[in-house]
Amino acid sequence: MTRIHRFADLEPLSRAAARALLEDMQSRLAVQDRYTLALAGGGTPQRLYELLATEAEGPLPWEQLHLFWGDERYVPPTDPRSNHRLVQRTLLSDAPCPAAHVHPIPTDRTPPAAAAAAYEHTLRRFFADRGATFDTVLLGLGADAHTASLFPETPALGQSDDWVRVVEAPPRHEVSPRITCALPVLNGARRALVLVAGAHKREALRAVLDDQDPSCPGTHIAPRTRADWYVDHAARPTA
Ligand code: 6PG
């Protein structure tokens, strides 16, 4: 099931996404003892992370919450382009999150394939089947309709047997080697929250949501129960 939620701009979008996440955590933790959340990189989710960190929409269940990443740039965690650093800075810096509950993609392994293999080992420790993974996966959408680090040029989007892949991002993207969860692992999530904001995303969003263009990786976001698209008016001027 796909549902589209439109907001005037990034602030109400982020607040609504925070509320939706917290509500889902509360309902799931009534019937299970942990909650697994895969985080997105880029700029759009930063405000959401800040809101979660300040518990503006309510407290997070830090003792039951495990954090993963959907993808990572192959740079040190101190690099300003690192998704791990982004989350560390906006969500985790003052949070009472047990260190053992934070599962970043280890970009200190060489070559990149070793980092992917190490992350696959981490995921296999938590999930017996790549078809049933995270409670929620947070995703963004690039202006070229990429999601995580799955680009229109990425081969074998859905066919690969890997859990985690090394992807050479196209030259237009600042960091070429990327480590990304494969599409079946992302879609193994029970639900997806896809955050898209800005007029520069309008065409990509139309190609994905209206045209279901198969050449767009965003079109293949299909988690097990539901995908909620949180979009602003700039990215989607009409419902
Ligand atoms: C990354 C993200 C990537 C991101 C999109 C949108 O590592 O950059 O995982 O998939 O979600 O590129 O990025 P913005 O939110 O910055 O537009």
Side-chain angles (χ1 to χ4, degrees):
M1 173 176 72
T2 296
R3 289 192 57 200
I4 302 170
H5 314 259
R6 292 177 64 241
F7 301 90
D9 58 35
L10 189 57
E11 184 65 21
L13 183 157
S14 305
R15 288 190 178 276
R19 280 194 299 275
L21 256 182
L22 286 166
E23 284 163 14
D24 192 60
M25 289 176 186
Q26 282 157 6
S27 68
R28 297 303 298 173
L29 289 172
V31 295
Q32 63 191 50
D33 60 6
R34 75 183 187 193
Y35 192 95
T36 54
L37 173 62
L39 299 167
T44 306
Q46 287 191 47
R47 184 60 183 141
L48 169 61
Y49 298 154
E50 291 164 358
L51 289 168
L52 292 174
T54 58
E55 303 198 323
E57 301 297 335
L60 267 73
W62 291 112
E63 286 305 315
Q64 292 84 21
L65 178 60
H66 283 262
L67 300 175
F68 300 82
W69 275 254
D71 74 320
E72 183 57 278
R73 292 88 179 275
Y74 191 65
V75 294
T78 51
D79 188 299
R81 299 165 295 178
S82 160
N83 289 338
H84 180 199
R85 180 178 181 274
L86 163 73
V87 172
Q88 197 58 41
R89 191 169 49 80
T90 56
L91 176 59
L92 294 177
S93 56
D94 299 322
C97 182
H101 288 200
V102 181
H103 311 281
I105 296 172
T107 56
D108 58 350
R109 309 292 175 91
T110 53
Y119 207 56
E120 175 163 338
H121 179 72
T122 297
L123 296 180
R124 284 180 183 276
R125 269 201 356 251
F126 273 81
F127 310 113
D129 167 10
R130 71 177 193 164
T133 57
F134 314 108
D135 286 291
T136 293
V137 59
L138 276 182
L139 291 168
L141 187 75
D144 60 356
H146 81 264
T147 193
S149 284
L150 299 169
F151 298 92
E153 299 86 344
T154 304
L157 264 188
Q159 286 74 37
S160 109
D161 292 333
D162 305 324
W163 284 48
V164 183
R165 304 180 62 178
V166 178
V167 171
E168 289 299 318
R172 62 185 176 277
H173 293 280
E174 55 184 307
V175 177
S176 177
R178 303 281 190 102
I179 313 294
T180 186
C181 288
L183 189 62
V185 171
L186 298 173
N187 284 338
R190 185 172 44 82
R191 60 185 294 183
L193 285 189
V194 192
L195 311 186
V196 188
H200 63 302
K201 303 292 181 75
R202 196 173 297 175
E203 285 313 308
L205 204 53
R206 181 182 297 130
V208 168
L209 293 182
D210 299 327
D211 306 341
Q212 284 91 43
D213 180 344
S215 70
C216 298
T219 302
H220 300 281
I221 296 171
R224 285 182 284 129
T225 63
R226 59 185 290 167
D228 290 279
W229 289 72
Y230 283 67
V231 304
D232 71 356
H233 289 173
R236 193 166 178 87
T238 56

